[in-house]
Amino acid sequence: MMEFNDNKPIYRQILDYAFNCILTGIWQEGEMIPSVRELTSELGVNNRTVLKALDELQSLRVIEPRRGLGFLLARNGVEIIRNERKREFFENTIPQIVEEMRILGITPEEVAAILSGADKK
């Protein structure tokens, strides 16, 4: 059962879960993803919530319906999700990090040193 937080709609959290399954290779391109029933049971949510998340994946062209079978992860699903996650990172995460850096007085050089491994202890 998945633990949900109140900061984001549940269907968005299910999308994040799906994105992680795709990016980590749990769900493979060209293969069937878990059914609505399986996801509903695994995540402990209403099937309409799962369907809303799957509709979003379908609108992103990450999954394709197979009549009577369920959904197939598209051949370019990983690339689509990676690009979507990068977009979210640059539009949402980076501005939050920059604001936190400003508040704390952290310089870009300090961050660059950490990212390059120069500050390893």
Side-chain angles (χ1 to χ4, degrees), residues 1-110:
M1 183 114 36
M2 190 167 158
E3 294 285 326
F4 296 100
N5 65 55
D6 295 335
N7 299 347
K8 190 186 264 189
I10 291 175
Y11 88 95
R12 282 292 315 170
Q13 293 176 64
I14 294 170
L15 267 178
D16 290 341
Y17 169 81
F19 285 5
N20 287 333
C21 287
I22 293 165
L23 291 174
T24 59
I26 294 170
W27 297 355
Q28 298 284 314
E29 288 182 343
E31 294 182 6
M32 301 302 290
I33 66 167
S35 69
V36 173
R37 181 178 287 130
E38 290 170 324
L39 288 171
T40 298
S41 174
E42 180 181 340
L43 302 175
V45 296
N46 185 296
N47 67 337
R48 281 183 260 172
T49 308
V50 169
L51 284 169
K52 186 172 183 177
L54 294 179
D55 283 345
E56 182 74 18
L57 287 174
Q58 194 173 354
S59 73
L60 291 170
R61 299 180 188 269
V62 172
I63 61 173
E64 303 166 356
R66 291 292 183 256
R67 188 177 198 103
L69 298 174
F71 292 97
L72 177 85
L73 182 57
R75 293 272 178 214
N76 59 345
V78 173
E79 180 183 353
I80 292 168
I81 293 304
R82 188 170 287 125
N83 289 336
E84 178 66 17
R85 275 281 174 91
K86 283 181 183 180
R87 183 193 63 74
E88 288 177 3
F89 181 78
F90 285 111
E91 288 181 6
N92 301 322
T93 306
I94 292 290
Q96 292 172 355
I97 292 170
V98 169
E99 178 61 14
E100 188 75 8
M101 287 172 58
R102 185 190 67 73
I103 291 168
L104 297 174
I106 298 171
T107 66
E109 293 77 19
E110 289 175 291

